[in-house]
Amino acid sequence: MAGFPARAADLVQTQPLDFGTVTILDFSTAGTVVLSPDGTYVASPQIAVTSSPTPARFEATDFPPSTAGTVAVTNGTVTEGGNGTGETFSITNFVTDPAVAVTDGAGDFTFDLGATLTTEGDGGAYPSGTYTGTVTVTVTF
């Protein structure tokens, strides 16, 4: 019986999700930055974007060839220095491009990922600094 060689599927982030540099203009109302997978974005009036955001990019290799699958992403939070204290941003509403993951004949595909960044809107000030966090991306075939 002929078989296929065993391969370990791999998912690599080649570009991180980055909402750019933002200035919060109103701490009392939740504000958002909606980043599309193509890099376009829309910010609510509570937020000024002063450097352009970039969507995440992932390369998946060695999955089953010519197969449709799904990409799932957990919601997350972003905090100053990634230390989990102080005001947080939530990251939700993930969108991929292409919308449906389909591998090529070699079992590979690339996709871009956008999301929505939301402030707490509770009146608390966000200190200046670098905000980081983690979400989990799962590809299933």
Coordinates of all heavy atoms in Angstrom, one line a residue, residues 13-87:
Q13 N 3.6 33.1 12.3 CA 3.3 34.5 12.1 C 4.4 35.2 11.5 O 5.5 35.2 12.1 CB 3.0 35.1 13.5 CG 2.6 36.5 13.4 CD 2.3 37.1 14.8 OE1 2.2 36.4 15.8 NE2 2.1 38.4 14.8
T14 N 4.2 35.8 10.3 CA 5.3 36.5 9.6 C 5.2 38.0 9.8 O 6.1 38.7 9.5 CB 5.3 36.1 8.1 OG1 4.1 36.5 7.5 CG2 5.6 34.6 7.9
Q15 N 4.1 38.5 10.3 CA 3.9 39.9 10.6 C 2.9 40.0 11.8 O 1.8 39.4 11.7 CB 3.3 40.6 9.4 CG 3.0 42.1 9.6 CD 2.6 42.7 8.3 OE1 3.4 42.9 7.4 NE2 1.3 43.1 8.2
P16 N 3.3 40.7 12.8 CA 2.4 40.8 14.0 C 1.2 41.7 13.7 O 1.3 42.7 12.9 CB 3.3 41.3 15.1 CG 4.4 42.0 14.4 CD 4.6 41.3 13.1
L17 N 0.1 41.5 14.4 CA -1.0 42.4 14.5 C -0.5 43.7 15.2 O -0.1 43.6 16.3 CB -2.2 41.8 15.1 CG -3.5 42.6 15.2 CD1 -4.0 42.8 13.8 CD2 -4.5 41.8 16.1
D18 N -0.7 44.8 14.6 CA -0.2 46.1 15.2 C -1.2 47.2 15.0 O -1.5 47.5 13.8 CB 1.2 46.4 14.6 CG 1.8 47.7 15.2 OD1 1.1 48.4 16.0 OD2 3.0 47.9 14.9
F19 N -1.8 47.7 16.0 CA -2.8 48.8 15.9 C -2.1 50.2 15.7 O -2.8 51.2 15.8 CB -3.8 48.7 17.0 CG -4.8 47.6 16.9 CD1 -4.6 46.4 17.5 CD2 -5.9 47.8 16.1 CE1 -5.5 45.3 17.3 CE2 -6.8 46.7 15.9 CZ -6.6 45.5 16.5
G20 N -0.8 50.2 15.6 CA -0.1 51.5 15.4 C 0.0 52.2 16.7 O -0.2 51.7 17.8
T21 N 0.2 53.5 16.5 CA 0.2 54.4 17.7 C -1.1 55.1 17.8 O -1.6 55.7 16.8 CB 1.4 55.4 17.6 OG1 2.6 54.7 17.4 CG2 1.5 56.3 18.8
V22 N -1.7 55.1 18.9 CA -3.0 55.7 19.1 C -3.0 56.7 20.3 O -2.2 56.5 21.2 CB -4.2 54.7 19.4 CG1 -4.3 53.8 18.2 CG2 -4.0 54.0 20.7
T23 N -3.8 57.8 20.2 CA -4.0 58.7 21.3 C -5.4 58.7 21.6 O -6.3 58.8 20.8 CB -3.6 60.1 20.8 OG1 -2.2 60.1 20.4 CG2 -3.8 61.1 22.0
I24 N -5.7 58.4 22.9 CA -7.1 58.4 23.3 C -7.6 59.8 23.7 O -7.0 60.4 24.5 CB -7.3 57.4 24.5 CG1 -6.8 56.0 24.1 CG2 -8.7 57.4 25.0 CD1 -6.7 55.0 25.2
L25 N -8.6 60.2 23.0 CA -9.1 61.6 23.2 C -10.2 61.7 24.2 O -10.5 62.8 24.8 CB -9.6 62.1 21.8 CG -8.6 62.1 20.7 CD1 -9.2 62.5 19.4 CD2 -7.4 62.9 21.0
D26 N -10.9 60.6 24.5 CA -12.0 60.6 25.4 C -12.0 59.3 26.2 O -12.2 58.2 25.6 CB -13.3 60.7 24.7 CG -14.6 60.7 25.6 OD1 -14.4 60.5 26.8 OD2 -15.7 60.8 25.0
F27 N -11.6 59.4 27.5 CA -11.5 58.2 28.3 C -12.9 57.7 28.9 O -13.0 56.6 29.4 CB -10.6 58.4 29.5 CG -9.2 58.7 29.1 CD1 -8.7 60.0 29.3 CD2 -8.4 57.8 28.6 CE1 -7.4 60.3 28.9 CE2 -7.1 58.0 28.3 CZ -6.6 59.3 28.4
S28 N -13.9 58.5 28.7 CA -15.2 58.2 29.4 C -16.1 57.4 28.5 O -17.1 56.9 29.0 CB -15.9 59.5 29.8 OG -16.3 60.2 28.6
T29 N -15.8 57.2 27.3 CA -16.6 56.4 26.3 C -15.7 55.4 25.6 O -14.7 55.8 25.1 CB -17.4 57.3 25.3 OG1 -18.1 58.3 26.0 CG2 -18.3 56.6 24.4
A30 N -16.2 54.2 25.5 CA -15.4 53.2 24.7 C -15.1 53.7 23.3 O -16.0 54.1 22.6 CB -16.1 51.9 24.8
G31 N -13.9 53.5 22.9 CA -13.5 53.9 21.5 C -13.0 52.6 20.8 O -12.5 51.7 21.5
T32 N -13.0 52.6 19.5 CA -12.5 51.5 18.7 C -11.6 51.9 17.6 O -11.7 53.0 17.0 CB -13.7 50.7 18.2 OG1 -14.4 51.5 17.3 CG2 -14.5 50.1 19.2
V33 N -10.7 51.0 17.2 CA -10.0 51.0 15.9 C -10.3 49.6 15.3 O -10.0 48.6 15.8 CB -8.5 51.1 16.1 CG1 -7.8 51.1 14.8 CG2 -8.2 52.4 16.8
V34 N -11.0 49.7 14.1 CA -11.4 48.5 13.4 C -10.3 48.4 12.3 O -10.3 49.2 11.4 CB -12.8 48.5 12.8 CG1 -13.1 47.3 12.1 CG2 -13.8 48.7 14.0
L35 N -9.5 47.3 12.3 CA -8.5 47.1 11.4 C -8.9 45.9 10.5 O -9.1 44.8 11.0 CB -7.1 46.8 12.1 CG -6.0 46.3 11.2 CD1 -5.6 47.4 10.2 CD2 -4.8 46.0 12.1
S36 N -9.0 46.2 9.2 CA -9.3 45.1 8.2 C -8.1 44.3 7.8 O -7.0 44.8 7.9 CB -10.0 45.7 7.0 OG -11.2 46.4 7.3
P37 N -8.2 43.1 7.3 CA -7.1 42.3 6.9 C -6.3 42.9 5.8 O -5.1 42.6 5.6 CB -7.7 41.0 6.4 CG -9.0 40.9 7.1 CD -9.5 42.3 7.3
D38 N -6.9 43.8 5.0 CA -6.2 44.5 3.9 C -5.4 45.7 4.4 O -4.8 46.4 3.6 CB -7.2 44.9 2.8 CG -8.2 46.0 3.1 OD1 -8.1 46.5 4.3 OD2 -9.0 46.3 2.3
G39 N -5.5 46.0 5.7 CA -4.7 47.1 6.2 C -5.5 48.4 6.4 O -5.0 49.4 7.0
T40 N -6.7 48.5 5.8 CA -7.5 49.7 6.0 C -8.0 49.7 7.4 O -8.2 48.7 8.0 CB -8.6 49.8 5.0 OG1 -9.5 48.7 5.1 CG2 -8.1 49.9 3.6
Y41 N -8.3 50.9 8.0 CA -8.8 51.0 9.3 C -9.8 52.2 9.5 O -9.7 53.1 8.7 CB -7.7 51.0 10.3 CG -6.9 52.3 10.2 CD1 -7.2 53.4 11.0 CD2 -5.8 52.4 9.4 CE1 -6.4 54.6 10.9 CE2 -5.0 53.5 9.3 CZ -5.3 54.6 10.0 OH -4.6 55.8 9.9
V42 N -10.6 52.0 10.5 CA -11.5 53.1 10.9 C -11.4 53.3 12.4 O -11.5 52.3 13.1 CB -13.0 52.8 10.5 CG1 -13.9 53.9 11.0 CG2 -13.1 52.6 9.0
A43 N -11.2 54.5 12.8 CA -11.1 54.8 14.3 C -12.4 55.6 14.7 O -12.8 56.5 13.9 CB -9.9 55.6 14.6
S44 N -12.9 55.3 15.8 CA -14.0 56.1 16.4 C -13.5 57.4 16.8 O -12.3 57.6 17.0 CB -14.7 55.3 17.5 OG -13.8 55.2 18.6
P45 N -14.4 58.4 17.0 CA -14.0 59.8 17.4 C -13.2 59.8 18.7 O -12.5 60.8 19.0 CB -15.3 60.5 17.6 CG -16.3 59.7 16.8 CD -15.9 58.3 16.9
Q46 N -13.3 58.8 19.6 CA -12.5 58.8 20.8 C -11.0 58.5 20.7 O -10.3 58.7 21.6 CB -13.1 57.8 21.8 CG -14.6 58.0 22.2 CD -15.5 57.4 21.2 OE1 -15.2 56.9 20.1 NE2 -16.8 57.5 21.5
I47 N -10.6 58.1 19.5 CA -9.2 57.7 19.3 C -8.7 58.3 18.0 O -9.3 58.4 17.0 CB -9.2 56.1 19.1 CG1 -9.7 55.4 20.4 CG2 -7.7 55.7 18.8 CD1 -9.7 53.9 20.3
A48 N -7.4 58.9 18.2 CA -6.7 59.4 17.0 C -5.6 58.4 16.7 O -4.8 58.0 17.6 CB -6.1 60.8 17.3
V49 N -5.5 57.9 15.5 CA -4.4 57.0 15.1 C -3.3 57.9 14.5 O -3.5 58.5 13.5 CB -4.9 56.0 14.1 CG1 -3.8 55.0 13.6 CG2 -6.1 55.2 14.7
T50 N -2.1 57.8 15.1 CA -1.0 58.7 14.6 C 0.0 57.9 13.9 O 0.9 58.6 13.3 CB -0.4 59.4 15.8 OG1 0.1 58.5 16.8 CG2 -1.4 60.4 16.5
S51 N 0.0 56.6 13.8 CA 0.8 55.8 12.9 C 0.0 54.6 12.5 O -0.7 54.0 13.3 CB 2.2 55.4 13.6 OG 2.0 54.4 14.5
S52 N 0.1 54.3 11.2 CA -0.8 53.3 10.7 C -0.7 51.9 11.2 O 0.4 51.4 11.5 CB -0.6 53.2 9.1 OG -0.9 54.4 8.5
P53 N -1.8 51.3 11.5 CA -1.9 49.9 11.9 C -1.5 48.9 10.8 O -1.6 49.3 9.6 CB -3.3 49.6 12.3 CG -4.0 51.0 12.4 CD -3.2 51.9 11.5
T54 N -1.1 47.7 11.1 CA -0.9 46.7 10.1 C -1.6 45.4 10.6 O -1.5 45.0 11.8 CB 0.6 46.4 9.9 OG1 1.2 46.1 11.1 CG2 1.3 47.6 9.3
P55 N -2.2 44.7 9.7 CA -2.8 43.4 10.0 C -1.7 42.3 10.2 O -0.6 42.5 9.8 CB -3.6 43.0 8.8 CG -3.0 43.8 7.7 CD -2.4 45.0 8.3
A56 N -2.1 41.3 10.9 CA -1.1 40.1 11.1 C -1.1 39.3 9.8 O -2.1 39.3 9.0 CB -1.6 39.3 12.2
R57 N 0.0 38.6 9.5 CA 0.0 37.7 8.4 C 0.6 36.4 8.9 O 1.5 36.3 9.8 CB 1.0 38.2 7.3 CG 1.2 37.2 6.2 CD 1.7 37.8 5.0 NE 0.5 38.4 4.3 CZ 0.6 38.9 3.1 NH1 1.7 39.0 2.5 NH2 -0.5 39.5 2.6
F58 N 0.0 35.3 8.5 CA 0.4 34.0 8.9 C 0.6 33.1 7.6 O -0.1 33.3 6.6 CB -0.8 33.3 9.7 CG -0.9 33.9 11.1 CD1 -1.8 35.0 11.2 CD2 -0.3 33.4 12.1 CE1 -1.9 35.6 12.5 CE2 -0.4 34.0 13.4 CZ -1.3 35.0 13.6
E59 N 1.6 32.2 7.7 CA 1.9 31.3 6.7 C 1.7 29.9 7.3 O 2.3 29.6 8.3 CB 3.3 31.4 6.1 CG 3.4 32.7 5.4 CD 4.8 32.9 4.8 OE1 5.7 32.0 5.0 OE2 5.0 34.0 4.2
A60 N 0.8 29.1 6.7 CA 0.6 27.7 7.1 C 1.2 26.8 6.1 O 1.0 27.0 4.9 CB -0.9 27.5 7.3
T61 N 1.9 25.8 6.5 CA 2.5 24.9 5.6 C 2.3 23.4 6.1 O 2.1 23.2 7.3 CB 4.1 25.1 5.5 OG1 4.6 25.0 6.9 CG2 4.4 26.5 5.0
D62 N 2.3 22.5 5.1 CA 2.2 21.1 5.4 C 0.9 20.6 6.0 O 0.9 19.7 6.7 CB 3.4 20.6 6.2 CG 4.7 20.8 5.5 OD1 4.7 20.7 4.2 OD2 5.8 21.0 6.1
F63 N -0.2 21.3 5.7 CA -1.5 20.9 6.0 C -2.0 20.0 4.9 O -1.3 19.8 3.9 CB -2.4 22.1 6.2 CG -2.2 22.8 7.5 CD1 -1.3 23.8 7.7 CD2 -3.0 22.5 8.6 CE1 -1.1 24.4 8.9 CE2 -2.8 23.1 9.9 CZ -1.8 24.1 10.0
P64 N -3.2 19.3 5.0 CA -3.7 18.5 3.9 C -3.8 19.3 2.7 O -4.3 20.4 2.7 CB -5.0 18.0 4.5 CG -4.9 18.1 5.9 CD -4.0 19.3 6.2
P65 N -3.3 18.8 1.5 CA -3.4 19.5 0.2 C -4.9 19.7 -0.2 O -5.7 18.9 0.0 CB -2.7 18.6 -0.7 CG -2.0 17.5 0.0 CD -2.6 17.5 1.4
S66 N -5.1 20.8 -0.9 CA -6.4 21.2 -1.5 C -7.5 20.9 -0.6 O -8.5 20.3 -1.0 CB -6.5 20.4 -2.8 OG -5.4 20.7 -3.7
T67 N -7.5 21.4 0.6 CA -8.5 21.2 1.6 C -9.0 22.5 2.2 O -8.2 23.4 2.5 CB -7.9 20.3 2.7 OG1 -7.4 19.1 2.1 CG2 -9.0 19.9 3.8
A68 N -10.3 22.6 2.5 CA -10.8 23.8 3.1 C -10.8 23.5 4.6 O -11.0 22.4 5.1 CB -12.2 24.0 2.7
G69 N -10.5 24.6 5.4 CA -10.4 24.5 6.8 C -11.0 25.7 7.5 O -11.6 26.6 6.8
T70 N -10.7 25.9 8.8 CA -11.2 27.0 9.5 C -10.0 27.6 10.3 O -9.1 27.0 10.7 CB -12.3 26.7 10.5 OG1 -11.7 25.7 11.5 CG2 -13.5 26.1 9.8
V71 N -10.1 29.0 10.5 CA -9.2 29.7 11.4 C -10.0 30.3 12.5 O -11.0 30.9 12.3 CB -8.5 30.8 10.6 CG1 -7.6 31.6 11.5 CG2 -7.7 30.3 9.4
A72 N -9.6 30.0 13.7 CA -10.3 30.5 14.9 C -9.3 31.3 15.7 O -8.1 30.9 15.9 CB -10.8 29.3 15.8
V73 N -9.7 32.4 16.3 CA -8.8 33.2 17.1 C -9.5 33.5 18.4 O -10.7 33.9 18.4 CB -8.5 34.5 16.4 CG1 -7.5 35.3 17.2 CG2 -8.0 34.3 15.0
T74 N -8.8 33.4 19.5 CA -9.4 33.8 20.8 C -9.4 35.3 21.0 O -8.4 35.9 20.6 CB -8.6 33.1 22.0 OG1 -7.3 33.6 22.0 CG2 -8.6 31.6 21.9
N75 N -10.4 35.8 21.7 CA -10.3 37.2 22.0 C -9.2 37.4 23.0 O -8.8 36.5 23.8 CB -11.7 37.7 22.6 CG -12.8 37.7 21.6 OD1 -12.5 37.8 20.4 ND2 -14.0 37.6 22.1
G76 N -8.7 38.7 23.1 CA -7.6 38.9 24.0 C -7.6 40.3 24.6 O -8.5 41.1 24.3
T77 N -6.7 40.6 25.4 CA -6.5 41.9 26.0 C -5.1 42.4 25.8 O -4.2 41.5 25.7 CB -6.8 42.0 27.5 OG1 -6.0 41.0 28.2 CG2 -8.3 41.6 27.8
V78 N -4.9 43.7 25.8 CA -3.6 44.3 25.6 C -3.4 45.2 26.7 O -4.3 46.0 27.0 CB -3.5 45.0 24.2 CG1 -2.2 45.7 24.0 CG2 -3.8 44.1 23.1
T79 N -2.2 45.1 27.4 CA -1.9 46.0 28.6 C -0.6 46.6 28.4 O 0.3 46.1 27.6 CB -2.0 45.2 29.9 OG1 -1.0 44.1 29.8 CG2 -3.3 44.6 30.1
E80 N -0.3 47.7 29.1 CA 0.9 48.3 29.0 C 2.1 47.4 29.4 O 2.0 46.8 30.5 CB 1.0 49.6 29.9 CG 2.2 50.4 29.6 CD 2.7 51.3 30.7 OE1 2.1 51.3 31.8 OE2 3.7 51.9 30.5
G81 N 3.0 47.2 28.6 CA 4.1 46.3 28.8 C 3.7 44.9 28.9 O 4.5 44.0 29.2
G82 N 2.5 44.6 28.6 CA 2.0 43.2 28.7 C 1.9 42.6 30.1 O 1.8 41.4 30.3
N83 N 1.9 43.5 31.1 CA 2.0 43.0 32.5 C 0.6 42.8 33.1 O 0.6 42.4 34.3 CB 2.9 44.0 33.3 CG 2.3 45.4 33.4 OD1 1.1 45.6 33.0 ND2 3.1 46.3 33.8
G84 N -0.4 43.1 32.4 CA -1.8 42.8 32.9 C -2.3 43.8 33.9 O -3.3 43.5 34.5
T85 N -1.7 44.9 34.1 CA -2.2 45.9 35.1 C -2.6 47.1 34.4 O -2.3 47.4 33.3 CB -1.1 46.2 36.2 OG1 0.0 46.8 35.5 CG2 -0.6 45.0 36.9
G86 N -3.4 47.9 35.1 CA -3.9 49.2 34.6 C -5.0 49.0 33.6 O -5.7 48.0 33.5
E87 N -5.2 50.0 32.8 CA -6.3 50.0 31.8 C -5.9 49.0 30.7 O -4.7 48.9 30.4 CB -6.5 51.4 31.2 CG -7.0 52.4 32.2 CD -8.4 52.1 32.7 OE1 -9.3 52.0 32.0 OE2 -8.5 52.0 34.0

